[in-house]
Amino acid sequence: MEIVDVAQAGATRPHHDPVARAVWLAAVHASMRASGGTVTTPVEEPAAGRNCYRVGVRLRDGVAVGLLFNAAALLVAAAEPQDHHAVTLTFVNVPAGNLFSEAGLRVATAAELIQPLGDSDLRFLTEDERRDAAYHRPDRLGNLLFNWFD
């Protein structure tokens, strides 16, 4: 995944898309069935302070993971559970990610999400989004696309 492909106008803002949410959530359940995991939390909606959907899952081996969905970019990611006050996520690979891809969603790997950001990578964001990025200073693609900007 190229940073410019997903760092487009609107990708850093909370975005509600009921149809895309339904597709993502169906893929979440399919991925848990396929991998022997379970969904453990209700879906949290994008809101001020969080630009993505989030749901908790527990994998077959007992590991807890948060599945994230940026509806503006149609991008799925996974991260370790964290303190709700932390702003930097520890990204992991999406379990059964192929099921999200088959549903028409983009799947980001942990390696892709930890790519460093430079100023030129923000050029397709809106002026307001660039101001937010300058203020909050996300240093990785994942921290830009799955953010807690206020």
Side-chain angles (χ1 to χ4, degrees):
M1 171 185 354
E2 293 292 322
I3 290 174
V4 71
D5 290 342
V6 290
Q8 300 290 324
T12 70
R13 299 281 188 218
H15 181 75
H16 292 269
D17 184 329
V19 173
R21 178 194 186 275
V23 169
W24 167 72
L25 194 53
V28 166
H29 287 280
S31 75
M32 289 302 99
R33 281 191 301 276
S35 64
T38 58
V39 175
T40 58
T41 69
V43 173
E44 296 176 46
E45 303 289 322
R50 185 181 60 254
N51 76 323
C52 60
Y53 294 94
R54 177 174 57 191
V55 67
V57 300
R58 185 163 310 282
L59 305 179
R60 174 183 294 156
D61 61 5
V63 172
V65 173
L67 294 178
L68 311 172
F69 179 55
N70 179 320
L74 297 177
L75 185 67
V76 179
E80 293 179 358
Q82 67 176 45
D83 178 322
H84 284 284
H85 301 291
V87 295
T88 301
L89 295 169
T90 301
F91 293 103
V92 298
N93 289 326
V94 175
N98 62 308
L99 296 173
F100 294 93
S101 297
E102 290 169 8
L105 305 174
R106 299 169 92 165
V107 178
T109 66
E112 291 167 329
L113 293 169
I114 63 170
Q115 293 179 68
L117 284 178
D119 290 338
S120 65
D121 299 320
L122 307 177
R123 67 185 176 274
F124 295 113
L125 300 178
T126 67
E127 185 177 328
D128 285 344
E129 288 175 297
R130 286 193 304 274
R131 269 197 300 271
D132 279 345
Y135 178 78
H136 291 283
R137 296 186 178 153
D139 58 349
R140 307 175 306 164
L141 174 61
N143 297 107
L144 178 72
L145 295 171
F146 299 95
N147 71 59
W148 280 257
F149 296 174
D150 51 5

